[in-house]
Amino acid sequence: MRKSFVRLAVGCAAVAALLLFLASRFALALDDLASGEPVKADCSEVVDFAGGSMPAQATGAHCTDTSGWQEQGYTGEFRMPRTDLTARLVAAFPRVRLISDETWGMTLRNRDETDGNRPRGKAWVVELEVTYDNDTTALVKLNATNI
């Protein structure tokens, strides 16, 4: 009977430790969401979620996880030379098409996709907002989300 009691005590302690660990991880996740601070993300995962790849000559890339309780989403920023910018962005992100081209920048989006031709497990909405820094450089802002 004493062995059974010891086994029960050890088992209860193990379950309690596991529950405490899980509760602490949940609390940390809630703290990240509640803090309002950006959560850094790996840019390779972000561009993969967007169905693309980081363009050649992109510099200064940084990405953020904007996911919430029910949705997955990311933002990213990087700079690129303006030479052949549209063609290089479409090559890197084949799901997007040029929507608008203005003197200050341009917008590329995947608005022509339907549920039937959208890749599973990838972003539903992919948008690239480009702002021209000067005659040679552009800032590219990526937004990718599944809602």
Side-chain angles (χ1 to χ4, degrees), residues 1-12:
M1 176 137 157
R2 183 177 169 132
K3 285 184 181 180
S4 296
F5 178 73
V6 171
R7 287 183 189 152
L8 179 63
V10 169
C12 287

Side-chain angles (χ1 to χ4, degrees), residues 59-82:
T59 60
H62 62 276
C63 297
T64 305
D65 186 337
T66 59
S67 300
W69 179 57
Q70 292 182 320
E71 74 280 348
Q72 184 177 4
Y74 299 97
T75 60
E77 286 188 10
F78 52 90
R79 284 192 158 68
M80 291 183 61
R82 283 183 58 178

Side-chain angles (χ1 to χ4, degrees), residues 66-126:
T66 59
S67 300
W69 179 57
Q70 292 182 320
E71 74 280 348
Q72 184 177 4
Y74 299 97
T75 60
E77 286 188 10
F78 52 90
R79 284 192 158 68
M80 291 183 61
R82 283 183 58 178
T83 307
D84 299 323
L85 184 60
T86 304
R88 289 187 296 132
L89 287 174
V90 171
F93 296 92
R95 297 175 58 196
V96 301
R97 299 292 173 259
L98 183 64
I99 301 300
S100 68
D101 192 1
E102 307 292 335
T103 57
W104 54 266
M106 63 181 148
T107 302
L108 298 96
R109 199 174 297 136
N110 68 326
R111 74 174 182 188
D112 295 330
E113 284 186 339
T114 63
D115 288 343
N117 65 2
R118 184 176 292 121
R120 292 182 66 70
K122 303 292 183 187
W124 285 23
V125 176
V126 179

